[in-house]
Amino acid sequence: MVILWDGKRNHKVILYSHLSLKKERGYMICGIYCIENKINNKKYIGQSINIEKRWAVHKVELNNNNHVNKHLQRSWNKHGENSFEFYIIEI
């Protein structure tokens, strides 16, 4: 699920319309994103010119135990993929 964080912990807006526009017209979503561990609320913040592709690379690296950020990798290994949320902070 891709969501946009509005700065308030409990208010998130789903970006499905933005994603469908991207796919229709071939746009990439660029901006700042977060990978948050829902168990301990620790966050990995990143930026990309193509967030959707970057998230896919993160997931491949994490699932293959090959992520450059060892703290995130250990947390992923310990808690599992379902304990993480990927969302956009700013586009």
Side-chain angles (χ1 to χ4, degrees):
M1 177 182 343
V2 178
I3 48 182
L4 177 65
W5 186 53
D6 69 357
K8 298 177 183 137
R9 182 77 180 118
N10 57 352
H11 291 90
K12 296 175 182 175
V13 180
I14 297 175
L15 278 179
Y16 290 119
S17 61
H18 194 76
L19 286 174
S20 63
L21 177 66
K22 176 194 98 44
K23 289 180 180 175
E24 270 178 35
R25 299 187 183 166
Y27 294 133
M28 293 184 295
I29 299 173
C30 62
I32 301 169
Y33 62 89
C34 180
I35 303 171
E36 181 176 353
N37 182 324
K38 296 184 287 186
I39 306 292
N40 60 22
N41 297 318
K42 290 188 177 183
K43 298 170 180 68
Y44 174 97
I45 307 294
Q47 65 180 8
S48 177
I49 59 169
N50 187 341
I51 291 175
E52 190 173 29
K53 180 179 177 184
R54 183 65 186 116
W55 282 348
V57 170
H58 277 299
K59 284 185 179 182
V60 166
E61 291 175 347
L62 289 164
N63 286 327
N64 289 326
N65 198 30
N66 194 32
H67 198 275
V68 68
N69 186 301
K70 296 305 174 195
H71 296 289
L72 178 59
Q73 184 66 63
R74 275 187 235 125
S75 186
W76 185 273
N77 293 347
K78 181 178 181 179
H79 299 290
E81 181 174 351
N82 291 333
S83 298
F84 288 83
E85 185 172 53
F86 291 68
Y87 57 88
I88 297 172
I89 297 172
E90 184 177 314
I91 54 176

